[in-house]
Amino acid sequence: KQAAEIILSMAQGETEGAQLIITPQKNINSFNVVIRDLRNTEGDIFGAQSVKVLKQHYLYQPQKSDFNNNENVPAGYIPDMLLPLEIASDYNETSIRAGENQGITFEFTSTSQTVPGIYTGEYDLVIDGKTTKIPVTVTIHDVDITASQTKSSFIINRIHLMRGETDGSIEMYEKYFKLLLDNKVTATYAPGFDISPKVMADYIIKYWDNPAFTSYSIPTRVGLESYSVNIAIYSQFLRELVQRSTPEHNLVSRAECYVLSLDEPQAINSIDGSARVQREISALKAANTKVFNQVVENGFFDKYDAAFKALIKQSIDNIQFLITSPYNSRFDNVDVTYVPQFQHYETYDEKEALYSHAQKFDNELWWYGCISPKYPWPTYHIDDYLQGARAVGWMQKYNKITG
């Protein structure tokens, strides 16, 4: 048992968490936390409004994820949701049974304007009317990481939201989109991607100045139509993005194209599959050229200088066509951006093959995790060591991976 105190260290422009674990010897009817401003020796304030207090909510999982062999994280109750403590109190969900653990998470958020220094103070932990003082020390380092330095592409869609939230509206999609940005993660598609090019462009412009909004994918189909690439749909979106761009906001500069029809390596590693990759990537590259020429012919660039026109052309040429595949020699002459799973950067030969292909086409390097890989590889899985989620980022930097 450790003393009840919170000590954490963080940069400017990030969110860091701390937790308290309550394990009572007798039943607790209710608990609450009172937070206050923290101050440094110069009188600067780390305000209470910059701290969230969340109850760790648990769900019972009778079995682990398929093939997950981390025996140190067994099946059973897992912390699956962080519920704002005030909501837990409103619904009378702040009781704890004797001998059981209850975690409380504190999320501290700094900004680029937070003055570096050591902030101290006390919070109150109130259990059945009895108050315990919790010393708090937060060190803010003079390092600003507000702006994201990498790209990301986490898939959400309104069908999934309908199943979980019983609300598949674009407003609900935007809530999740913004939640991801708040955690420095970008969704694969900007809101409106399944409505129209204009609506998607509106949302891209809306979130353009968000420092976490580093990338988005141009759709190659709409809704649940065939997995085949729809060149007409892709061209409509690309044309809208070009025509909504300005010298200050080059919308194409953050665009990539996750080629959904070429998803997962098992589907494309055959001879027929590799021919399909070449065919669909060639069609998309041709569409890039055609759209640019059409926009030129329509006089879009007449009001701009030659530098802006060249910038848009360069941005179109730099659109990355992402395919979720490990290295495949059949694609040596295909201008694709590989997105292998984490484990495919393990061996020297495969890593060098991925680097060589990216260098040949002046492309980025990406990777991804999904149901696999699993422990002992770092993952984003809940039923695994949560340090793995951080290790993924460290490995990404070490391997010079863009997204």
Side-chain angles (χ1 to χ4, degrees), residues 254-265:
R254 298 183 190 175
E256 75 250 357
C257 180
Y258 165 46
V259 190
L260 184 60
S261 61
L262 305 179
D263 182 51
E264 301 290 358

Side-chain angles (χ1 to χ4, degrees), residues 321-374:
F321 294 105
L322 311 179
I323 61 168
T324 50
S325 172
Y327 171 74
N328 185 331
S329 60
R330 294 192 182 101
F331 306 153
D332 281 350
N333 295 314
V334 184
D335 186 0
V336 296
T337 297
Y338 279 108
V339 190
Q341 291 185 336
F342 303 148
Q343 71 271 24
H344 291 288
Y345 281 88
E346 178 178 23
T347 67
Y348 175 84
D349 288 345
E350 188 166 16
K351 185 188 295 186
E352 286 302 303
L354 291 166
Y355 287 163
S356 177
H357 184 275
Q359 186 175 28
K360 177 179 179 179
F361 291 99
D362 194 23
N363 282 345
E364 300 168 351
L365 289 165
W366 283 58
W367 66 353
Y368 82 108
C370 192
I371 298 171
S372 62
K374 298 182 183 297

Side-chain angles (χ1 to χ4, degrees), residues 279-295:
R279 183 174 63 251
E280 297 200 353
I281 295 300
S282 295
L284 288 164
K285 298 285 284 187
N288 282 354
T289 301
K290 183 176 181 180
V291 167
F292 180 77
N293 290 338
Q294 288 174 339
V295 173

Side-chain angles (χ1 to χ4, degrees), residues 148-165:
S148 295
Q149 302 301 316
T150 62
K151 299 180 180 181
S152 56
S153 180
F154 281 64
I155 292 180
I156 55 174
N157 64 51
R158 293 201 283 156
I159 294 176
H160 294 159
L161 297 181
M162 177 59 77
R163 292 170 181 167
E165 297 279 2

Side-chain angles (χ1 to χ4, degrees), residues 61-92:
Q61 296 294 331
Q63 64 184 36
K64 292 171 60 64
S65 302
D66 292 343
F67 312 117
N68 190 319
N69 58 357
N70 187 347
E71 296 179 357
N72 293 320
V73 184
Y77 282 98
I78 60 172
D80 188 64
M81 179 175 66
L82 295 176
L83 184 66
L85 187 56
E86 62 270 21
I87 295 178
S89 297
D90 290 344
Y91 285 85
N92 296 317

Side-chain angles (χ1 to χ4, degrees), residues 27 46 76 78-79 88 115 138-139 162 172 187-188 200-201 209 217 245 248 261 264 273 306 315 336 339 384:
N27 290 342
F46 191 95
I78 60 172
V115 177
V138 176
T139 300
M162 177 59 77
M172 180 59 71
T188 302
M200 189 180 86
D209 293 330
S217 188
S245 292
E248 297 74 30
S261 61
E264 301 290 358
S315 296
V336 296
V339 190
D384 195 358

Side-chain angles (χ1 to χ4, degrees), residues 174-185:
E174 185 182 9
K175 286 183 179 180
Y176 274 79
F177 181 82
K178 187 177 183 303
L179 176 66
L180 289 174
L181 290 179
D182 289 344
N183 288 276
K184 298 190 175 180
V185 175

